[in-house]
Amino acid sequence: MNNTRHEEFREYVTARERVLMRTALQLTGDRADAEDLLQAALAKTYLAWDRIQDRAAMDGYVRRAMVNTQISWWRRRKLEIYPTDELPDSPVDDHTRRSELHDALHRALRRLPERQRLAVILRYYEDMPEAEIAEALGISVGTVKSTVSRAMAKLREDTGLGTDFKIPPQLPER
């Protein structure tokens, strides 16, 4: 009987998976969450398979399992969220904005004259002190300072980021 149960359940899932997935998507609004929800509901349905007498009502049973599971997940998430009147000190990491910034910075760096570009890369990406940069480029420390200063002003202007602009820790790969 156990093998028959398994085959009946497999046939049911194969026949109804698309319809049930649409219901799960409507409940969650997200494909990955919908897949998890449907999986959890089908697991509960499989465990109760022998107790469900009316096979025609199987979709209703699975839908009810999805709704109950979604409500449980929602309640659990709700308990994990702690509202506060104060915002956290560190902002949420915005990967898209960071990627756009890296692209803009990369383009702006390419537009710099070679000595300015080298000075900025050595100073901020290689974290070299000004004396080492001066030695590597064959210029004075004062020239390194003024070159980096002019380059940073140009980068601020080209990227439109203003005086708060800081070079990110890694040069965008291209």
Side-chain angles (χ1 to χ4, degrees), residues 118-133:
L118 286 172
V120 166
I121 289 171
L122 292 174
R123 179 70 183 106
Y124 294 104
Y125 292 105
E126 298 299 323
D127 201 25
M128 287 176 68
E130 291 161 342
E132 286 182 31
I133 297 169

Side-chain angles (χ1 to χ4, degrees), residues 23-36:
T23 303
L25 276 167
Q26 290 173 340
L27 288 169
T28 63
D30 176 75
R31 179 119 185 125
D33 289 342
E35 289 171 355
D36 290 345

Side-chain angles (χ1 to χ4, degrees), residues 96-156:
T96 303
R97 169 102 171 99
R98 192 172 59 208
S99 178
E100 290 170 359
L101 173 63
H102 279 255
D103 290 343
L105 180 58
H106 185 76
R107 287 189 305 273
L109 278 169
R110 284 190 310 208
R111 288 191 296 268
L112 289 176
E114 185 177 1
R115 186 162 80 177
Q116 287 183 358
R117 184 174 55 249
L118 286 172
V120 166
I121 289 171
L122 292 174
R123 179 70 183 106
Y124 294 104
Y125 292 105
E126 298 299 323
D127 201 25
M128 287 176 68
E130 291 161 342
E132 286 182 31
I133 297 169
E135 186 178 323
L137 297 180
I139 57 178
S140 71
V141 173
T143 303
V144 169
K145 290 179 181 183
S146 63
T147 301
V148 170
S149 177
R150 282 193 305 276
M152 290 301 293
K154 181 77 171 134
L155 289 173
R156 285 184 188 102

Side-chain angles (χ1 to χ4, degrees), residues 4 12 16 19-20 24 44 50 74 80 86 93 95-96 102 110 128 135-136 139 147 151 160 162 165-166:
T4 304
Y12 170 75
R16 303 301 294 162
V19 172
L20 296 171
K44 290 177 182 180
D50 292 332
W74 175 77
E80 293 170 358
E86 297 177 30
D93 191 15
H95 300 289
T96 303
H102 279 255
R110 284 190 310 208
M128 287 176 68
E135 186 178 323
I139 57 178
T147 301
F165 173 69
K166 304 264 189 290

Side-chain angles (χ1 to χ4, degrees), residues 54-65:
D54 186 4
R55 295 289 191 232
M58 193 59 64
D59 282 359
Y61 184 91
V62 176
R63 278 195 294 272
R64 174 49 52 196

Side-chain angles (χ1 to χ4, degrees), residues 37-95:
L37 180 62
L38 181 55
Q39 183 72 26
L42 288 173
K44 290 177 182 180
T45 304
Y46 183 76
L47 293 174
W49 190 259
D50 292 332
R51 293 189 314 256
I52 303 169
Q53 300 299 316
D54 186 4
R55 295 289 191 232
M58 193 59 64
D59 282 359
Y61 184 91
V62 176
R63 278 195 294 272
R64 174 49 52 196
M66 282 193 285
V67 168
N68 291 344
T69 303
Q70 180 66 12
I71 289 170
S72 291
W73 290 354
W74 175 77
R75 285 181 180 152
R76 192 173 311 133
R77 271 187 236 127
K78 186 177 174 183
L79 292 175
E80 293 170 358
I81 298 172
Y82 302 101
T84 179
D85 291 334
E86 297 177 30
L87 293 176
D89 290 337
S90 61
V92 175
D93 191 15
D94 184 353
H95 300 289

